[in-house]
Amino acid sequence: MSVCCRPGLTRGCDGEKDSPRREEFTQRITNSKISRLLKEYLVFFLVSNAMRRLGHHRLHGKTGGVGTKGMVAKLSIGVIVLLICTLSLLFSANIGSNREPTRPSKINVEELWESAESGGWRPSSAPRSDWPPPTKETNGYLRVRCNGGLNQQRSAICNAVLAARIMNATLVLPELDANSFWHDDSGFQGIYDVEHFIETLKYDVKIVGKIPDVHKNGKTKKIKAFQIRPPRDAPIEWYLTTALKAMREHSAIYLTPFSHRLAEEIDNPEYQRLRCRVNYHALRFKPHIMQLSESIVDKLRSQGHFMSIHLRFEMDMLAFAGCFDIFNPEEQKILRKYRKENFAEKRLIYNERRAIGKCPLTPEEVGLILRAMRFDNSTRIYLAAGELFGGERFMKPFRTLFPRLDNHSSVDPSEELSAKSQGLIGSAVDYMVCLLSDIFMPTYDGPSNFANNLLGHRLYYGFRTTIRPDRKALAPIFIAREKGKTAGFEEAVRRVMLKTNFGGPHKRVSPESFYTNSWPECFCQMNPKKSSDKCPPNNVLEILDSRLESVRDPDSTSQTNSTVTGLER
């Protein structure tokens, strides 16, 4: 059994598909090489000809002084050099103009309904080097309280598992701070499959439901966890010094709040792969949530492809971004009040914010982008969003462009979803439907944990297509349209969108999060150019099982030694 793919989500884990995009790219490379060779040949020919003329002049000319013929020769050389430079520039311009039409002039919508090109990569978060199982004795217990929304909590859970591994600690099932954000007390046990979580991570950390009591001399004593507030993006060293020292002293520590409390960029690929094992394998929603999500997906797909959109046009995000001017005075008052109560004071000017892409796209702008990309009004769209601020006034233009809009309540108006549509269960269902959709489009992937986690999960789940609008590049196009300059609008939008990545492997560049793009750490190649990219053995679980058994049975050390070679690469 391989751990490269999440159970039940097998599409896109292996292999790659050929595409006209790849053929076109290859053709452009070939044309570029031919153009360069032709230009070099022309320059060589002209220089050689000039040198021959100069040599001929020296053989037949006078040797002393600088006479008329010498001046003519120098002028001839100057003219030839100038001619070479001019021809070279003209040739370069001509080659450039000839190459331009080879660039794709339109987006092929039919291609977008399929997964992006994998480049020979497939997901794999299994260990590729010596990865010992958790020891029988640990340094103590680790409790964490994960704050924020469901997906901020999800990242925090990944960090908690890694922190426990780093400190050789026993992890207590993470606490979800649901009441303050969602007014939902479902908790970890109400959202995630606890047994699956513990079983999947048994090779990595020990996990318990609660800190056990200590029984000594016939007495029972409770262990009280020592509370610490970790620094934001704390390095590994903090956990190996400050946190570990407190754990050894008190037997248990309680880290709260625990959101973004461990640095994302860690120079240890095995630690990063552990994060992926947690995020894409261990964190599985409870069976009834999975069944509900799959039922919605089946209904949506019964009529063909469907796209999911995370429409982040909600009060909290609009207040955070400071994008008020498009609303009426009463709505602006509500947004300013919310911002004052929840975010640090900062001078925000709408026109400046929008011009640099800091405002969420409006529903109408989302519709205009999709129409420019040539999606037609028969496209079925699933909206994952909370309550949209401004209501139907903003949704009407979008609905006019794309009338086939759904959300989880309209597809499945079940009692469970109706009661908790804005809570953790509703968010979990939205997450799964967006993960399984053919295309996913976030409209604001800045500080949005929902969108960022989904982008990373879809990348891991077989490079599934994503549409990520470049808001900064699109802003002047939309602003010009609002001023009446509509000529060439759709072509301008297409040019911007053609430069975006539609879900294939790409280098992670700051500020892109590891949770948004875990390539290459959590991917491998069957036929790699570098040994570090080679896929782990298919029997990796058997190897890890044997290691775990050898820890439970100290007498079987020879078995442990025999498995080390099998994993080291």
Side-chain angles (χ1 to χ4, degrees):
M1 175 181 176
S2 171
V3 293
C4 78
C5 297
R6 181 174 176 172
L9 304 180
T10 56
R11 178 186 169 195
C13 284
D14 293 291
E16 61 177 309
K17 62 184 182 65
D18 291 321
S19 162
R21 281 184 285 185
R22 177 179 300 169
E23 294 174 6
E24 185 172 40
F25 178 73
T26 304
Q27 186 63 42
R28 287 173 61 188
I29 293 292
T30 304
N31 290 342
S32 176
K33 288 181 178 178
I34 292 171
S35 301
R36 190 172 65 250
L37 288 170
L38 285 172
K39 184 169 71 174
E40 288 173 356
Y41 178 81
L42 176 63
V43 172
F44 174 78
F45 173 80
L46 290 171
V47 170
S48 299
N49 191 47
M51 294 303 292
R52 282 197 302 271
R53 287 174 181 270
L54 179 60
H56 179 76
H57 171 76
R58 284 179 175 173
L59 281 172
H60 299 282
K62 295 180 180 180
T63 58
V66 183
T68 306
K69 290 185 177 180
M71 291 294 293
V72 171
K74 288 185 177 181
L75 286 172
S76 299
I77 293 170
V79 170
I80 290 169
V81 170
L82 182 62
L83 179 62
I84 290 171
C85 294
T86 304
L87 286 172
S88 180
L89 288 171
L90 288 172
F91 196 89
S92 298
N94 187 49
I95 291 298
S97 63
N98 288 339
R99 194 167 53 216
E100 187 65 29
T102 66
R103 302 177 74 178
S105 59
K106 66 177 182 178
I107 295 171
N108 189 326
V109 171
E110 290 305 313
E111 276 191 18
L112 292 181
W113 289 117
E114 302 298 329
S115 295
E117 296 173 15
S118 70
W121 294 88
R122 69 174 180 84
S124 174
S125 56
R128 296 173 209 175
S129 59
D130 189 13
W131 187 255
T135 60
K136 191 173 182 180
E137 299 295 330
T138 65
N139 289 317
Y141 295 93
L142 173 63
R143 281 180 61 198
V144 298
R145 180 174 65 84
C146 306
N147 54 306
L150 179 69
N151 292 281
Q152 187 170 318
Q153 293 170 354
R154 191 181 184 100
S155 301
I157 294 166
C158 298
N159 289 342
V161 172
L162 179 53
R165 173 76 188 196
I166 291 167
M167 294 189 290
N168 187 31
T170 298
L171 178 67
V172 182
L173 279 179
E175 301 167 22
L176 305 187
D177 181 24
N179 288 321
S180 63
F181 191 90
W182 293 107
H183 307 290
D184 183 335
D185 58 1
S186 301
F188 190 96
Q189 293 89 335
I191 296 295
Y192 294 108
D193 187 332
V194 173
E195 289 184 8
H196 176 79
F197 182 74
I198 295 173
E199 175 67 19
T200 304
L201 297 173
K202 67 182 179 181
Y203 311 109
D204 305 302
V205 292
K206 285 186 175 180
I207 303 173
V208 295
K210 63 179 183 178
I211 300 175
D213 296 334
V214 176
H215 301 283
K216 191 174 182 180
N217 299 328
K219 295 182 179 180
T220 301
K221 181 183 178 182
K222 292 186 178 296
I223 299 176
K224 186 177 181 181
F226 180 72
Q227 185 169 324
I228 307 175
R229 183 185 181 92
R232 187 178 177 87
D233 298 321
I236 289 177
E237 289 72 21
W238 184 86
Y239 288 91
L240 291 174
T241 53
T242 304
L244 188 55
K245 181 181 177 182
M247 179 177 286
R248 284 172 171 160
E249 183 179 347
H250 299 278
S251 299
I253 59 173
Y254 183 33
L255 303 183
T256 178
F258 198 76
S259 172
H260 306 290
R261 302 294 157 168
L262 178 57
E264 282 191 16
E265 291 301 329
I266 296 175
D267 193 20
N268 184 328
E270 291 297 5
Y271 283 169
Q272 300 293 58
R273 282 190 273 272
L274 174 54
R275 277 173 160 156
C276 290
R277 289 199 291 280
V278 181
N279 207 5
Y280 308 133
H281 297 278
L283 281 175
R284 186 169 71 186
F285 295 120
K286 290 183 76 69
H288 72 284
I289 295 176
M290 297 292 283
Q291 290 167 7
L292 191 58
S293 305
E294 289 169 5
S295 171
I296 291 175
V297 170
D298 288 344
K299 290 176 182 177
L300 289 168
R301 193 165 281 138
S302 64
Q303 299 178 41
H305 296 298
F306 79 95
M307 175 192 303
S308 61
I309 297 178
H310 187 222
L311 198 55
R312 201 67 170 95
F313 200 71
E314 300 152 326
M315 181 169 64
D316 63 329
M317 188 51 66
L318 291 163
F320 170 81
C323 301
F324 306 146
D325 289 25
I326 58 174
F327 299 99
N328 63 40
E330 186 59 32
E331 290 167 339
Q332 289 189 32
K333 185 178 178 182
I334 294 170
L335 290 172
R336 293 183 194 282
K337 181 176 182 292
Y338 187 92
R339 177 169 179 84
K340 187 176 181 180
E341 292 173 349
N342 293 277
F343 303 111
E345 187 175 347
K346 187 178 181 181
R347 184 171 175 268
L348 301 174
I349 300 174
Y350 170 73
N351 291 338
E352 293 178 0
R353 300 285 289 171
R354 191 187 180 200
I356 58 174
K358 294 297 183 181
C359 288
L361 295 171
T362 68
E364 182 181 20
E365 288 171 343
V366 173
L368 290 171
I369 292 170
L370 293 177
R371 287 304 290 269
M373 293 176 70
R374 295 196 171 94
F375 287 96
D376 60 38
N377 61 4
S378 68
T379 305
R380 192 160 195 183
I381 296 174
Y382 178 89
L383 293 179
E387 184 177 353
L388 298 185
F389 194 75
E392 188 59 25
R393 180 170 94 257
F394 286 94
M395 277 301 299
K396 187 176 180 180
F398 186 25
R399 203 181 300 279
T400 301
L401 292 168
F402 293 94
R404 301 183 70 191
L405 299 180
D406 281 299
N407 57 30
H408 57 227
S409 297
S410 65
V411 180
D412 190 332
S414 63
E415 185 177 338
E416 181 177 21
L417 271 179
S418 298
K420 295 188 175 182
S421 62
Q422 299 302 317
L424 288 173
I425 290 178
S427 182
V429 169
D430 276 348
Y431 185 93
M432 285 305 303
V433 175
C434 289
L435 174 63
L436 296 167
S437 64
D438 299 297
I439 297 173
F440 172 63
M441 179 180 182
T443 61
Y444 195 75
D445 57 345
S448 172
N449 292 288
F450 183 94
N452 284 330
N453 273 21
L454 263 168
L455 289 168
H457 205 154
R458 287 177 64 87
L459 191 76
Y460 190 85
Y461 179 29
F463 304 106
R464 299 177 73 80
T465 299
T466 57
I467 296 175
R468 300 175 68 177
D470 183 342
R471 296 189 307 279
K472 185 176 181 180
L474 289 167
I477 301 171
F478 282 119
I479 292 170
R481 179 179 180 273
E482 289 162 12
K483 293 178 179 178
K485 299 175 183 177
T486 57
F489 169 77
E490 289 197 348
E491 181 58 34
V493 171
R494 280 194 291 275
R495 281 199 299 270
V496 170
M497 296 307 298
L498 279 167
K499 296 176 183 177
T500 63
N501 181 285
F502 289 112
H506 61 282
K507 185 179 179 181
R508 184 170 67 251
V509 179
S510 181
E512 190 175 34
S513 163
F514 175 79
Y515 292 105
T516 303
N517 180 12
S518 60
W519 184 87
E521 294 94 335
C522 295
F523 295 81
C524 68
Q525 287 188 311
M526 298 303 295
N527 299 301
K529 294 180 180 178
K530 296 192 299 181
S531 60
S532 58
D533 296 333
K534 185 177 181 179
C535 288
N538 291 330
N539 64 335
V540 67
L541 286 188
E542 295 175 12
I543 295 170
L544 294 173
D545 262 326
S546 67
R547 287 185 169 193
L548 194 61
E549 286 302 318
S550 69
V551 170
R552 291 170 182 165
D553 181 9
D555 295 331
S556 59
T557 54
S558 60
Q559 187 180 12
T560 304
N561 294 333
S562 69
T563 61
V564 172
T565 308
L567 271 178
E568 287 181 342
R569 290 291 180 271

